[in-house]
């Protein structure tokens, strides 16, 4: 009789590192080719939103810019705005003593709201004009745009303005927490369901995934606060920390866990699941990543 031996694949650390290293180099090359160091176009534009309290008559408003150009807005290029001629003439002829520029854009703010949709001035003053009384109010001191979507509350009283930032930081924190919990839960479940560790390994699994996701999503929120965050940035860059962490997590599981077999594969598969969960979230629920 002949004995038949089956050649079963044996885990080879050198082979595993070689494959992962090759994959990492290829993905890094793709990201570098996609990356434009001058600008990442993620589909979000800077904007400024101002809510006014105390405007009780017809009023028009604009932002005077520290520079003569901001995005496509310019002090030299006029637009055909729908407003009475006397209003157009007022803004066109207005001269600021600090040499702030009118960028040929204003709005009817009688309803208490001004929205500058894209590339508003970085440093500006607020100018309000009341055509019925032919009077104006100019904010004191420069105001700086501070976020992707910079929001302010302006109180108009006794011929002057009080300007306050009113960014929805609670909403930003809530979104960060939701992303964090989902992207922590997914890799933990993958490890628990497919690799069946003992309960005494649970704290190790949960803690290192939680710490990693806290760092990732705090950085996403900080970046998004200024620039917005979309599937473009996620696809181009987020695979890198997930892959690097998978190597570290595999080393951690191999040396500190009691029962996680195939430690590196467990880490790689769980981080692939975490990356996929985040990719799905940013694609289907982009509002969780960017406040506009």
């Amino acid at each position: 009789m002949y004995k038949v031996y089956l050649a079963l694949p044996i885990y080879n650390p050198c082979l595993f590192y070689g494959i992962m290293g090759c994959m990492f180099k290829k993905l890094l090359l793709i990201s570098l080719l996609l990356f434009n160091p001058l600008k990442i176009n993620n589909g979000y534009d800077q904007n400024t939103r101002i809510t006014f309290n105390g405007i009780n008559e017809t009023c028009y408003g604009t932002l005077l810019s520290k520079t003569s150009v901001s995005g496509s807005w310019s002090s030299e290029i006029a637009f055909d705005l729908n407003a009475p001629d006397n209003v157009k003439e007022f803004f066109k002829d207005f001269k600021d003593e600090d040499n702030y520029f009118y960028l040929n854009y204003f709005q009817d703010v009688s309803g208490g709201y001004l929205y500058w949709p894209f590339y508003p001035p970085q440093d500006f003053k607020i100018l309000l004009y009341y055509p019925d009384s032919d009077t104006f109010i100019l904010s004191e001191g420069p105001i700086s745009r501070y976020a992707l979507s910079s929001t302010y509350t302006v109180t108009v009283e006794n011929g002057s303005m009080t300007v306050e930032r009113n960014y929805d930081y609670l909403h930003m924190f809530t979104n960060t927490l939701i992303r964090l919990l989902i992207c922590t839960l997914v890799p933990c479940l993958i490890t628990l369901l497919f690799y069946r560790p003992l309960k005494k390994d649970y704290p190790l699994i949960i803690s290192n995934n939680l710490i990693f996701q806290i760092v990732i999503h705090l950085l996403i929120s900080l970046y998004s606060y200024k620039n917005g965050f979309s599937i473009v940035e996620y696809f181009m860059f987020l695979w890198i920390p997930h892959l690097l962490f998978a190597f570290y997590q595999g080393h951690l599981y191999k040396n500190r866990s009691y029962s996680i077999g195939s430690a590196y594969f467990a880490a790689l598969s769980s981080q692939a699941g975490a990356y996929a969960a985040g990719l799905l979230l940013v694609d289907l629920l982009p509002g969780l990543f960017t406040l506009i």
Side-chain angles (χ1 to χ4, degrees):
M1 293 184 65
Y2 295 95
K3 293 183 179 180
V4 178
Y5 294 92
L6 297 178
L8 296 176
I10 300 175
Y11 171 64
N12 186 327
C14 294
L15 179 62
F16 176 76
Y17 285 127
I19 294 174
M20 289 297 101
C22 183
M23 182 186 301
F24 178 80
K25 290 177 182 178
K26 289 181 179 179
L27 289 173
L28 183 59
L29 179 60
I30 292 172
S31 289
L32 290 175
L33 290 174
L34 289 173
F35 175 61
N36 178 355
L38 298 178
K39 179 173 175 60
I40 299 174
N41 184 7
N42 61 10
Y44 293 109
D45 292 319
Q46 305 285 333
N47 66 84
T48 295
R49 304 166 187 264
I50 302 175
T51 301
F52 293 95
N53 297 318
I55 294 180
N56 301 312
E57 58 183 289
T58 301
C59 182
Y60 293 84
T62 191
L63 307 181
L64 301 180
S65 174
K66 181 70 173 178
T67 59
S68 61
V69 176
S70 181
S72 59
W73 309 103
S74 170
S75 61
E76 302 297 328
I77 302 176
F79 296 91
D80 185 16
L81 300 174
N82 184 23
D85 290 339
N86 63 320
V87 175
K88 296 179 184 179
E89 289 299 319
F90 168 80
F91 287 110
K92 180 181 177 181
D93 297 337
F94 186 83
K95 302 297 181 183
D96 177 62
E97 60 182 14
D98 296 322
N99 295 319
Y100 276 66
F101 297 90
Y102 166 59
L103 299 184
N104 287 289
Y105 180 74
F106 63 83
Q107 287 184 347
D108 185 342
V109 297
S110 306
Y113 186 67
L114 184 149
Y115 172 52
W116 197 299
F118 53 91
Y119 296 107
Q122 175 64 47
D123 298 296
F124 60 91
K125 293 182 180 181
I126 302 171
L127 174 63
L128 299 179
Y129 177 60
Y130 297 89
D132 294 342
S133 58
D134 193 28
T135 58
F136 69 90
I137 302 175
L138 183 65
S139 62
E140 295 181 3
I143 305 165
S144 296
R145 177 162 49 83
Y146 61 93
L148 172 74
S149 183
S150 300
T151 56
Y152 305 85
T153 297
V154 174
T155 301
V156 181
E157 188 175 19
N158 298 325
S160 63
M161 290 187 235
T162 303
V163 182
E164 295 179 352
R165 296 180 179 183
N166 66 340
Y167 193 84
D168 194 349
Y169 290 103
L170 178 60
H171 193 180
M172 177 181 174
F173 172 78
T174 302
N175 284 353
T176 304
L177 186 60
I178 292 172
R179 299 194 317 263
L180 168 64
L181 292 177
I182 293 174
C183 291
T184 300
L185 182 63
V186 169
C188 290
L189 286 177
I190 289 174
T191 305
L192 296 177
L193 293 176
F194 290 96
Y195 296 93
R196 303 295 179 89
L198 297 175
K199 288 186 177 180
K200 56 185 176 181
D201 279 330
Y202 286 10
L204 175 66
I205 295 169
I206 295 172
S207 62
N208 69 81
N209 277 296
L210 179 61
I211 292 171
F212 174 67
Q213 293 299 333
I214 287 175
V215 173
I216 287 294
H217 288 280
L218 283 179
L219 291 175
I220 287 175
S221 293
L222 290 174
Y223 177 87
S224 176
Y225 177 72
K226 287 287 189 180
N227 307 287
F229 186 90
S230 72
I231 196 172
V232 175
E233 288 96 340
Y234 197 96
F235 178 74
M236 288 173 63
F237 301 114
L238 262 292
W239 62 268
I240 299 174
H242 280 86
L243 185 59
L244 292 176
F245 181 69
F247 281 105
Y248 171 74
Q249 191 177 57
H251 174 77
L252 203 63
Y253 286 170
K254 184 178 180 180
N255 292 280
R256 293 184 56 184
S257 72
Y258 296 95
S259 59
I260 301 177
S262 303
Y264 286 95
F265 287 105
L268 187 61
S269 59
S270 65
Q271 291 312 308
Y275 178 83
L279 187 63
L280 192 64
L281 284 177
V282 75
D283 186 32
L284 299 180
L285 299 171
L288 280 178
F289 291 79
T290 303
L291 293 184
I292 56 175

